[in-house]
Amino acid sequence: MQDTSFAIHPGNKKQIEGTDYRDAGSVTAVQKGASHLQLECENGYVTILFYSSSVARVVMNPKQVPVLDDSFAVIQTPENIKVDLQEQEGSFTLTAGNLTAHVTTDPLRITFLDSSGRVLISEGDKGMGHSANGEIVCYKESDEADHYYGFGEKTGFLDKRGEKMTMWNTDVYAPHNPETDALYQSIPFFMTLRNGHAHGLFFDNPGKTHFNMRNGDGTYHFSCESGQMDYYVMAGPTMKEVLGQYTGLTGTMPLPPKWAIGYHQSRYSYETEEEVRELVSQFIEKEIPVDAVYLDIHYMDGYRVFTFDEDRFPDPKKLIADLKEQGIRVVPIVDPGVKEDPEYGAYQEGIRQDHFCKYIEGNVYYGDVWPGNSAFPDFTKDDVRDWWGEKHRFYTELGIEGIWNDMNEPAVFNETKTMDTKVIHENNGSPKTHREVHNIYGLKMGEATYEGMKKNLNGKRTFLLTRAGYAGVQRYGSVWTGDNRSFWEHLQLAIPMCMNLGMSGVPFTGPDVGGFAHDANGQLLARWTQFGTFTPYFRNHSAIGTLRQEPWSFGEDVEKNVKKYIDLRYIWMPQLYKLFRDASVTGVPVMRPLVLEYPEDPATFNLSDQFMIGENVIVAPITAPDTFHRAVYLPEGNWVNYWTEEVIEGGRHILTEADLETLPVFVKRGSVVAHGSPKRSTAVKETDYQLHFYAGEKGETSYTVYDDDGETFGYETGESFEMPVTFSYDQTRLSITSGSVNGTYTPDWEELTVFVHGADELKEISVNGNTAHFETLGSGIVKIRVQR
Ligand code: MIG
């Protein structure tokens, strides 16, 4: 009914904006705790509590004292902090370090301020309330200066000011355009940038939530048709600190194995063992690097998860071992639907052990997916997640180390596209309807899969790719952006989408390179691969019935171009790996909008067609056909064209040339990036570790080299290699000093090669105090070796 006038039926208008909104009203009773305040109001119950000196939570329940222990996203428990409570006539003030909540009681309104008294979040005529049908809503004042980032996986531009968004995990095969709202992931978190200062807001409700940043009357609001009004405020004051505070609550990404960051090749589907072997031999013959090959739904026996089709894949163990020998991993798809088949083990166990989602009356819920009529594990139950995780022994025993979760919104082939909202999730004795917790199905499936694989792999890191998720999904998986198409517009759209996923705590993301549905063409594949070189997740994937889009599918020129950029991915691997490591610690993403580094520069506020890798590298992809130049915004400072060594003054827009073989990349002067050499996969050890220093006029720069074995959890107990290297420079003289090494891991490389760019006037280099011999390479580059 989407495309008929029924979509604008007058009866569709949301109650929430109607007349039956009931404000929480005045406070009628107060209970004070050490770090919280509990209020009884005319129309509801409210708890305000502090999690840390920068994070507070507000919960309102219209009917009863709020439930505080029901989050699926938050893994942090409140720190035992001292909250100062002051009571004044008609108000309370709670202060904990960097954040103050000022609560007026008649009517209830909550204002959050930072330690300098600057208002972060305030309420005007309307505050929190609910409507007769149980919908809960919260209004906040917006400022003319506000810019909004985050909201997870959304179409449209970077800044979500003026947008209206719905969170309801949905399998959207088509279309993906600016009007497409709910997609596969729901992350009801955003941050506000206001005059250079940032704060965050996380509305933790896994039902169908709405955000309206378009009210136009000086407010924005968020609401949900079910559950409690439950939100967290993060004090910032920088965007990076907000990310730290948000990932403090919901967790950071575990460091992926190196192979997960390499180039991946997929297709719906490589259907037989023979086809897979043929594919791999092409990569080897053509010397195109590849770290993983995917098996889509055709590998299974009648789409039964935890099986292989014996005709198509007679000896999966041998196949997987042979590929592993070549440094290539196999990643099979696993969907949640378990085929209703009384002679199939997973179904038998699921029924006998009561693992599937049921109606309240006790009958199992069945939905139609690939295997036909299927039952769906209830991943809210601990024992079901353990069971599901353990089932992955089937894969790990075959030598598989990574899993691809699809259809976990969950997607069902019916009118609503998902499970009946009346179905019950048992949730370890605290049952919820599917309506109330729809958005966590993929998250909990991810948890089951990640934890199961991790356990089965005995100390080796696993890799999970998931289509659906909720806040916190970064703890388990990387996210690809679903069924895009081979459209230039979808290449454009992926840039802000991935940047906002990064701004929502999910650093490991990327779109299907080349586009999933529709036919790709050579130029599109080349440009998309160039972009993919710098997206955290890098996989070429395409749909059944579309033109093949492996690197060699469009002739030799395109193949050469694509190979150049896949090689480049491996050249940049040491830098990317370090950024992954940093993201796993700080929550600050690998791929960033420029605004994250230049929050005072208005030119960055909605800059959606270029991005940064770390703090000092700008990537400006070409996203239109037959286009060989583009405008690039370079913020203040001096920038070096990665390809030509040209130094360009920033603080302005430039026009840059980009023939078909060129992806515009700029490195900030005065900074350092790590490089390696091209290799057929990450299985080949790096022996050529390079630091590229882009010398400025004068100054000092420090870079910390990071490395570890790339595949175990040893780094968690100190088996890593961290070495600070400092560059002090004054045009004619450079001194390089390596600091003491942290960690017990010994890298495969014995010496570092340092390349100094912009070294035209360099006369003298010292390494750790001793005059060093250096080689002059031309283009103002010199080369020096530094012992580890
Ligand atoms: O509805 O498994 O997004 O990547 O190739 C189609 C087949 C189901 C959707 C995924 C896509 C995958 C496809 N799947």
Side-chain angles (χ1 to χ4, degrees):
M1 296 288 238
Q2 283 285 9
D3 41 11
T4 71
S5 313
F6 191 81
I8 48 168
H9 190 293
N12 287 351
K13 191 156 171 9
K14 284 254 136 226
Q15 277 296 319
I16 209 89
E17 278 150 28
T19 47
D20 76 336
Y21 166 77
R22 279 173 222 189
D23 191 272
S26 302
V27 177
T28 54
V30 181
Q31 252 187 54
K32 292 169 248 173
S35 59
H36 78 276
L37 200 58
Q38 196 176 295
L39 311 169
E40 221 178 287
C41 304
E42 288 170 303
N43 294 311
Y45 300 78
V46 176
T47 303
I48 303 170
L49 78 158
F50 279 76
Y51 271 57
S52 69
S53 58
S54 301
V55 178
R57 178 182 181 191
V58 176
V59 194
M60 188 216 32
N61 187 314
K63 300 208 177 89
Q64 60 172 75
V65 171
V67 179
L68 298 179
D69 60 355
D70 65 344
S71 178
F72 294 92
V74 174
I75 53 171
Q76 190 177 42
T77 45
E79 282 170 25
N80 202 352
I81 46 153
K82 166 114 192 54
V83 177
D84 178 56
L85 177 68
Q86 302 286 335
E87 197 174 339
Q88 303 93 6
E89 178 73 35
S91 69
F92 292 93
T93 309
L94 289 89
T95 305
N98 308 322
L99 191 60
T100 294
H102 184 68
V103 184
T104 60
T105 54
D106 186 20
L108 173 72
R109 293 290 181 265
I110 307 170
T111 304
F112 285 97
L113 309 104
D114 70 10
S115 53
S116 69
R118 181 187 301 113
V119 173
L120 305 179
I121 294 181
S122 57
E123 298 173 337
D125 292 349
K126 287 191 257 184
M128 276 187 289
H130 72 282
S131 55
N133 62 6
E135 221 157 356
I136 38 117
V137 60
C138 186
Y139 289 84
K140 300 291 183 198
E141 288 178 313
S142 66
D143 192 283
E144 300 229 319
D146 286 357
H147 300 278
Y148 305 118
Y149 307 103
F151 295 110
E153 185 184 53
K154 293 291 172 198
T155 58
F157 290 95
L158 180 68
D159 184 354
K160 297 304 182 196
R161 187 184 173 86
E163 294 297 328
K164 223 168 154 173
M165 288 157 288
T166 304
M167 305 288 175
W168 183 256
N169 289 358
T170 311
D171 172 13
V172 185
Y173 177 64
H176 291 192
N177 67 34
E179 229 181 8
T180 311
D181 187 352
L183 283 166
Y184 316 88
Q185 296 272 334
S186 292
I187 308 183
F189 161 80
F190 70 100
M191 65 176 83
T192 301
L193 177 67
R194 183 184 294 166
N195 301 322
H197 296 272
H199 63 263
L201 194 148
F202 170 40
F203 178 24
D204 188 10
N205 184 320
K208 188 183 273 182
T209 54
H210 302 274
F211 288 83
N212 192 335
M213 318 309 279
R214 180 192 286 175
N215 288 341
D217 62 353
T219 69
Y220 65 81
H221 73 263
F222 44 98
S223 62
C224 186
E225 60 175 47
S226 58
Q228 306 184 123
M229 174 48 64
D230 188 348
Y231 69 91
Y232 296 78
V233 170
M234 285 136 263
T238 65
M239 299 174 104
K240 289 183 184 177
E241 283 164 300
V242 173
L243 282 161
Q245 289 149 5
Y246 172 71
T247 54
L249 287 172
T250 61
T252 53
M253 162 192 70
L255 182 59
K258 275 186 188 166
W259 67 266
I261 309 173
Y263 174 74
H264 294 188
Q265 183 64 50
S266 185
R267 170 86 178 169
Y268 168 28
S269 302
Y270 297 121
E271 293 191 20
T272 61
E273 165 167 348
E274 211 187 338
E275 201 180 345
V276 172
R277 287 190 185 275
E278 168 60 24
L279 174 83
V280 164
S281 67
Q282 294 278 315
F283 274 100
I284 292 168
E285 191 183 303
K286 293 171 177 301
E287 296 180 2
I288 300 174
V290 60
D291 256 284
V293 167
Y294 286 60
L295 298 181
D296 207 324
I297 52 175
H298 288 89
Y299 80 85
M300 292 176 273
D301 170 17
Y303 309 118
R304 289 170 185 82
V305 287
F306 314 114
T307 68
F308 265 89
D309 180 303
E310 287 174 13
D311 292 326
R312 293 165 185 264
F313 291 89
D315 192 352
K317 195 165 190 162
K318 174 97 176 30
L319 173 69
I320 289 154
D322 289 349
L323 263 57
K324 183 82 187 284
E325 191 98 318
Q326 309 276 7
I328 301 165
R329 258 80 171 187
V330 171
V331 178
I333 197 167
V334 177
D335 292 353
V338 176
K339 185 178 177 67
E340 183 231 308
D341 170 0
E343 295 176 2
Y344 160 43
Y347 183 72
Q348 293 168 338
E349 285 171 30
I351 292 289
R352 295 214 166 101
Q353 297 165 24
D354 195 18
H355 291 327
F356 296 126
C357 295
K358 293 177 175 172
Y359 285 100
I360 195 164
E361 295 80 7
N363 42 328
V364 170
Y365 166 78
Y366 292 96
D368 187 27
V369 275
W370 296 120
N373 207 35
S374 302
F376 293 81
D378 183 358
F379 294 113
T380 64
K381 290 162 84 176
D382 293 349
D383 62 323
V384 174
R385 288 197 308 280
D386 290 346
W387 169 67
W388 190 259
E390 183 57 29
K391 297 262 8 134
H392 285 72
R393 205 167 278 286
F394 171 78
Y395 297 111
T396 52
E397 277 173 0
L398 293 172
I400 287 167
E401 296 171 39
I403 298 289
W404 169 20
N405 280 172
D406 187 22
M407 304 288 278
N408 52 347
E409 293 72 28
V412 181
F413 303 147
N414 64 24
E415 269 285 292
T416 69
K417 296 180 151 205
T418 193
M419 186 177 274
D420 188 337
T421 51
K422 288 187 303 206
V423 168
I424 303 292
H425 295 282
E426 287 302 330
N427 194 27
N428 303 323
S430 167
K432 305 269 188 204
T433 61
H434 188 68
R435 184 177 83 109
E436 295 171 292
V437 297
H438 169 79
N439 288 341
I440 53 92
Y441 195 83
L443 174 81
K444 298 305 273 185
M445 181 183 184
E447 179 180 351
T449 307
Y450 178 82
E451 297 298 349
M453 287 294 288
K454 180 172 174 182
K455 203 160 145 210
N456 296 342
L457 286 171
N458 299 318
K460 256 195 195 165
R461 291 177 227 169
T462 185
F463 163 69
L464 170 68
L465 176 67
T466 177
R467 193 170 72 174
Y470 180 65
V473 65
Q474 68 274 5
R475 303 196 291 265
Y476 314 116
S478 70
V479 167
W480 97 103
T481 58
D483 293 345
N484 62 2
R485 312 204 144 215
S486 300
F487 295 163
W488 290 96
E489 290 82 350
H490 281 188
L491 168 50
Q492 290 158 18
L493 171 134
I495 304 171
M497 189 181 277
C498 289
M499 290 195 287
N500 270 323
L501 275 160
M503 296 298 273
S504 309
V506 188
F508 198 2
T509 64
D512 283 343
V513 167
F516 176 66
H518 199 78
D519 290 329
N521 59 65
Q523 207 184 106
L524 181 67
L525 181 68
R527 291 304 198 186
W528 209 320
T529 307
Q530 293 173 359
F531 168 52
T533 300
F534 289 100
T535 53
Y537 179 60
F538 186 19
R539 180 183 72 155
N540 174 319
H541 181 48
S542 57
I544 196 163
T546 62
L547 283 185
R548 305 295 299 211
Q549 78 192 27
E550 290 78 17
W552 48 86
S553 302
F554 298 100
E556 273 175 31
D557 289 350
V558 174
E559 181 185 323
K560 226 179 105 209
N561 194 342
V562 166
K563 175 178 158 45
K564 172 178 168 187
Y565 283 88
I566 299 177
D567 280 341
L568 191 66
R569 173 74 168 199
Y570 289 79
I571 292 174
W572 278 74
M573 188 60 71
Q575 178 72 4
L576 289 168
Y577 192 60
K578 177 191 160 55
L579 292 172
F580 268 87
R581 162 70 180 173
D582 290 348
S584 76
V585 175
T586 63
V588 178
V590 175
M591 174 181 180
R592 312 177 179 177
L594 274 77
V595 68
L596 189 57
E597 298 297 335
Y598 299 92
E600 312 262 357
D601 181 347
T604 67
F605 293 167
N606 204 5
L607 192 53
S608 304
D609 63 354
Q610 51 183 88
F611 60 97
M612 298 190 80
I613 285 297
E615 287 174 8
N616 41 40
V617 176
I618 289 177
V619 180
I622 301 294
T623 61
D626 305 323
T627 300
F628 308 107
H629 59 272
R630 61 160 286 174
V632 179
Y633 180 68
L634 299 175
E636 50 88 7
N638 287 303
W639 299 81
V640 181
N641 181 318
Y642 180 70
W643 303 108
T644 64
E645 302 287 331
E646 184 195 354
V647 179
I648 308 159
E649 202 188 316
R652 64 194 176 112
H653 288 84
I654 60 156
L655 189 67
T656 197
E657 301 290 325
D659 63 22
L660 209 46
E661 285 76 43
T662 304
L663 165 72
V665 175
F666 302 87
V667 184
K668 193 163 196 182
R669 242 185 157 190
S671 66
V672 178
V673 294
H675 276 2
S677 48
K679 38 186 62 61
R680 63 188 161 74
S681 91
T682 56
V684 180
K685 298 289 175 208
E686 185 61 76
T687 50
D688 180 20
Y689 199 101
Q690 309 171 358
L691 286 185
H692 290 256
F693 172 53
Y694 289 82
E697 315 276 88
K698 189 180 166 82
E700 191 172 289
T701 306
S702 195
Y703 183 91
T704 302
V705 174
Y706 180 81
D707 204 2
D708 61 29
D709 64 26
E711 58 173 348
T712 74
F713 286 95
Y715 72 93
E716 285 184 345
T717 50
E719 284 168 51
S720 58
F721 177 89
E722 277 180 280
M723 184 177 79
V725 184
T726 305
F727 298 82
S728 331
Y729 184 73
D730 75 1
Q731 270 184 350
T732 57
R733 257 182 317 204
L734 168 67
S735 72
I736 304 171
T737 325
S738 58
S740 58
V741 173
N742 224 326
T744 58
Y745 175 73
T746 311
D748 297 289
W749 44 272
E750 300 205 331
E751 52 179 20
L752 269 175
T753 316
V754 173
F755 292 84
V756 185
H757 298 252
D760 310 69
E761 290 166 45
L762 204 59
K763 303 245 156 21
E764 196 187 313
I765 300 182
S766 71
V767 174
N768 293 327
N770 304 316
T771 306
H773 169 75
F774 61 88
E775 207 180 311
T776 303
L777 303 180
S779 310
I781 306 175
V782 301
K783 180 173 165 186
I784 323 109
R785 301 202 180 271
V786 177
Q787 293 303 309
R788 190 177 65 212

